[in-house]
Amino acid sequence: MIFAENYFSFGRRYDNNMTKFASLFSPGKIGMLETKNRLVMPPMVLNYADEMGHVTPKYLAHIERVARGGVGIIVLEASFIRPDGRGFAKELGLHAEDAIPGLGQLVEAAHAQGAVIGTQLFHAGRQTSSKITGMQPIAPSPIPDSTINEMPRAISIEEIKDLIEAYSQAARRSKEAGFDFVEIHGAHGYLITQFLSPFSNTRDDEYGGSDEKRMRFAIEVVGAVREAVGSGFPVIFRISADEMVPNGLTLEDSANISKKLEELGVNAMHVSSGNYESFSRGYMIAPMSMPDGLEVPFAEWIKSSVGIPVIAVGKIRSPALADDIIRTGKADFIAIGRSLLADPDWPKKAQEGRMEQIRYCIACNEGCITRLLSDQDVWCTANPETSHEEEFAKSLPERELRVFIAGGGPAGMEAARIAALRGHRVVLVEERDHLGGALLLASMLPQRPGWSELRDYLVGEMKRLGITVRLGTTATAELAKKEGAEVAIVAIGASQYPPHIPGIKSKNVVLSRDLLDGSARISGEKVIVMGGGISGAQIADYLSRRGHDVTIVTAGREIAKESAVVVRELLLDRLQQRGVKILTGTRIIEITKDKVLIVGPGDSDDLPGELPADTVVASTGAKSNDGLADELRKVGKQVFIVGDAVKPRDVTHAMLEGARAGLF
Ligand SMILES: Cc1cc2nc3c(=O)[nH]c(=O)nc-3n(C[C@H](O)[C@H](O)[C@H](O)COP(=O)(O)O)c2cc1C
Ligand code: SF4
């Protein structure tokens, strides 16, 4: 395995110590509100509400599932206080009285498990678009956000007063629905941050022009919310301690703001960072290439400025790290967002010391935030149950079946895991001498440790659940018959096929797959990567880091376009820094022993050029391996085909299909 990287995930190394995480599981207090532990589910827009912003059965099933896993405090997603503040098409709303009954059901679900629950009062300001709200976005000043690129309308003082009233009404509705607290969303570049920050507020009236004036909107919102909910009701404020943009909020600014909010009676600070324009720096929703616990220093900084409790967040994935942060006084509560999407039972398992059973969030950002930002509902790549809780609540089968699974990649292992959990007898057959399939290949690249974490989890589950695994064995219909299989699941992935061009069989051409599994090597300095998908781009990243002179040639217009958000921006940044050349709209028409002939850009075939090449890495298409399915059907088996064996795609879909196949 030539690409194996040293990887150290901050905090994970303590996990095998059977500490009891006494700090993490000690009761906490926010204002007068007592909590059973220090774990918080931070707000995450799920896109599970209906068009009216009302709670749906799917939403309720998700919250019930999370609450059952033992988290102490649930902060519901950013919920719009007025329709013009909606940030996502299917976000929850706190804008109308008819939202209250549905919200009340969420409260009951949380309380039934001993968790406390609150809403997050939200207005997107300029960080939304007219496509979502049907209206021109509003903001303190007419400055567009560069990621949205839509000119907002600066609001008048009269409109500011109306907005403050809308925050107050949303808080009142939250209390009426039975919530235990409210959190004011003052972070991530939304409306309140837009007022607080000189980056987005250039007003010269009483709401802008000095630190005090920029703070006025937040202060008035806090005052109105407090009046609406009364003195004993906890109010939390979420802040981006460092906005990470030029002329944006700094740590000093945030400490001053936090002190002022404490004076006004805010009961806790929830400390995040960034806004939309600094999102690609990888802090706000950190990808796997960023270290664990990366925003904790911000929480620590705010904690040193105030006396009220502070909630830390940001890729805090391991119970040991979470416990350590509390024990050493860096923060009072720990928010674990994506970790709960990946495993809602994380709190319970940690408290019971079942560390090896925790399915860690691998920070791939694929199933969750990338789907959200493309207007889809939030899933989790590692945990297919998230978003499909109702489907996975299916009752157990009446009798045990014998299940034969061909293929030990993510789809095959997830199918085996679910089938075994449902009481079936499972045999999994893998042609290679190891499990992992596409996960193993993905984890061989730099900055991709999460994929091997998911592989390790699934392999661990094969052992824990007593699944019979036959390595180095080819799956055939005959073998399935011999095993007495009643159901067969085909999960044997896809094979890579290089394009039919002259010279493709030359010695200097290697397939990306062979490079990743260590069966092929690079020679010479000049490398051409043929294909601009995520795999090609990451191979270029790795090879340039090893000192090769790399050029990516792709017929497409962009590279790595199927990559998760943030992951792509950071990757493109690294490629640029290391001088990787990228030729888009360009095709390789021939390969010789020391060069490639190219045409393009675009459709112009008349100007073939050439590029020197010591090695050409073919990182092009794949074809499904589904032939076994027909054989199995012929011998009368009930057959499911899953993952890349249906169509080469991402791990997210492979995992979900595998899980669904195991759900009979
Ligand atoms: C899908 C998704 C939606 C999010 N929505 C919100 C939101 O509504 N309000 C908010 O303040 N933060 C939101 N966040 C940020 C999270 O609350 C949290 O700060 C972030 O995910 C980092 O924590 P983690 O590494 O534990 O996931 C969202 C994050 C994700 C992944
Ligand atoms: S999709 Fe990936 S990043 Fe998002 S919660 Fe699941 S494992 Fe974590």
Side-chain angles (χ1 to χ4, degrees), residues 41-46 76-79 88 91 120 122 183 185 187-188 190 238 270-273 283-286 294-295 313-317 335-341 361 363 365 367-370 372 378-379:
M41 177 171 99
M44 286 180 288
V45 172
L46 300 166
L76 285 183
E77 67 181 40
S79 303
F88 298 90
E91 191 177 63
Q120 190 184 45
F122 167 77
E183 175 172 292
H185 199 341
H188 301 165
Y190 295 114
R238 196 167 213 209
H270 190 170
V271 183
S272 182
S273 67
Y283 275 74
M284 195 200 295
I285 304 178
L294 77 177
E295 291 177 299
V313 75
K315 216 176 165 204
I316 303 171
R317 297 186 302 153
I336 50 166
R338 290 168 296 165
S339 289
L340 289 172
L341 298 178
C361 162
N365 278 354
C368 56
I369 191 67
T370 300
L372 177 64
V378 165
W379 297 2

Side-chain angles (χ1 to χ4, degrees), residues 141-163:
S141 306
I143 308 170
D145 168 273
S146 70
T147 66
I148 304 248
N149 230 349
E150 202 170 320
M151 181 58 83
R153 184 172 62 76
I155 45 176
S156 66
I157 292 197
E158 209 182 358
E159 287 176 295
I160 290 177
K161 304 292 173 201
D162 287 347
L163 268 166

